[in-house]
Amino acid sequence: MDIARSSFELLVDGADPLSLDCRGLDGLPNCFVPLDELLHCLLHGPCPQHTKDIVWSMLVERSRSLGATWTLACAGMALPALAGVAKRLAAQYAGDPYDLHAEVLAGFLHALSTIDLNRPHVVVRLKWAAYRRGFAALTEARDAPTPVGPDGFDSAPPRAPWGHPDLVLASAVRAEVLTRTEADLIGSTRLDEQSVNDWAAVRGLSLASVYKTRRRAEQRLVAFLRYGVRPVDSEDPVAHTATAHLPRSATPRRPRRQAPRSSRSVPPLPGCLKEPPEAVSSGAGAPTQPSMPPRALGGA
């Protein structure tokens, strides 16, 4: 990156600096603008996003058609973004940081020849291409063997390939969190950089349904990886989850017997005897008979 910075300074130094025709572009001077001034306008000036995309498309096209000079110019114009990427990755890199800087710059230069200029945010996609290349170097360095003992390197069991994206998707398929089609969709469009539109067109599916399928599959995958949550076979998973966590009820109680209600029949007429009371048990176990009325004792 130091070489790229010094080369860019030479390109914009002197009486005839390397410039770009910015006539007719919103937010930029209506003339040929030296690249160092153009970089300042893109970073700090009132320059709309579509103008930035036009400028970067012009730079990339010149790099592809005219070669080395404009390739160095593109690297110099992208140095603020590349320096931030390299600094972020180098903080986690145990080796020589210049090796990591070289990988970041190599990822950027490779993307110059392959990036699609018909899509917006050209410089952002160039930056992420550089980040992916540097992150791959960082991951490789972490997986490399480390010295054990005072004499340097020694043999050690190989590391298991845990965490590899393909293995993560395969484990999700085995756990029935994802189907094979959903795993292929995520792997192709997230890892292999195949567009969702192309994936849907090959299979004859609508774009909206493919986006919806990927979103739901990724939500299940995140829940599985973070919390170990697996899907359930139910037409209403919310209701199933709610009922599955209800506390078990105690032994059902028998319904209480209601006391007999008093009779609502017509009360007896005056002078009529009421019904005799219930027999009271004597000591021998036989019920005593009710006493006779007084006038029945004397006869007629």
Side-chain angles (χ1 to χ4, degrees), residues 1 69 78-79 204 256 267 288:
M1 286 193 180
T69 299
L79 270 179
R256 296 181 177 180
T288 58

Side-chain angles (χ1 to χ4, degrees), residues 162-175 177-178 186 191 217-231:
W162 296 322
H164 192 279
D166 292 337
L167 297 178
V168 172
L169 293 176
S171 64
V173 172
R174 288 195 301 270
V177 176
L178 300 177
I186 295 175
L191 305 177
E218 289 177 342
Q219 290 174 351
R220 295 198 306 273
L221 180 60
V222 169
F224 172 66
L225 296 178
R226 286 185 176 179
Y227 312 111
V229 177
R230 300 190 181 189

Side-chain angles (χ1 to χ4, degrees), residues 9 13 25 41 51 56 59 93 126 151 156 159 167 171 209 217 252 260 276 284:
E9 291 174 353
D13 192 17
L25 298 180
C41 292
T51 300
W56 271 101
L59 291 171
Y93 191 68
L126 288 171
D151 299 330
R159 290 188 177 186
L167 297 178
S171 64
S209 64

Side-chain angles (χ1 to χ4, degrees), residues 33 83 93 129 162 185 191 248 257:
V33 182
Y93 191 68
W162 296 322
L185 172 60
L191 305 177
R248 294 183 178 181
R257 294 182 178 180

Side-chain angles (χ1 to χ4, degrees), residues 39-187:
L39 176 59
H40 184 272
C41 292
L42 294 179
L43 293 178
H44 307 292
C47 188
Q49 181 61 46
H50 70 272
T51 300
K52 296 179 181 180
D53 289 334
I54 294 175
V55 168
W56 271 101
S57 296
M58 295 168 62
L59 291 171
V60 174
E61 288 174 352
R62 282 164 173 74
S63 172
R64 293 176 179 177
S65 59
L66 301 178
T69 299
W70 284 95
T71 300
L72 288 175
C74 289
M77 295 285 290
L79 270 179
L82 298 180
V85 169
K87 181 179 180 181
R88 178 181 177 183
L89 294 175
Q92 311 172 52
Y93 191 68
D96 190 344
Y98 291 106
D99 295 338
L100 187 63
H101 294 179
E103 291 296 326
V104 170
L105 187 57
F108 171 80
L109 295 177
H110 175 72
L112 282 179
S113 60
T114 59
I115 194 168
D116 185 6
L117 299 179
N118 295 321
R119 296 170 56 193
H121 305 288
V122 177
V123 67
V124 174
R125 289 185 284 121
L126 288 171
K127 171 187 174 181
W128 280 109
Y131 177 84
R132 287 193 295 269
R133 182 70 173 263
F135 185 76
L138 175 62
T139 304
E140 184 178 358
R142 287 177 173 175
D143 293 339
T146 56
V148 289
D151 299 330
F153 291 93
D154 197 359
S155 61
R159 290 188 177 186
W162 296 322
H164 192 279
D166 292 337
L167 297 178
V168 172
L169 293 176
S171 64
V173 172
R174 288 195 301 270
E176 298 182 354
V177 176
L178 300 177
T179 65
R180 293 182 179 272
T181 303
E182 291 171 339
D184 178 71
L185 172 60
I186 295 175

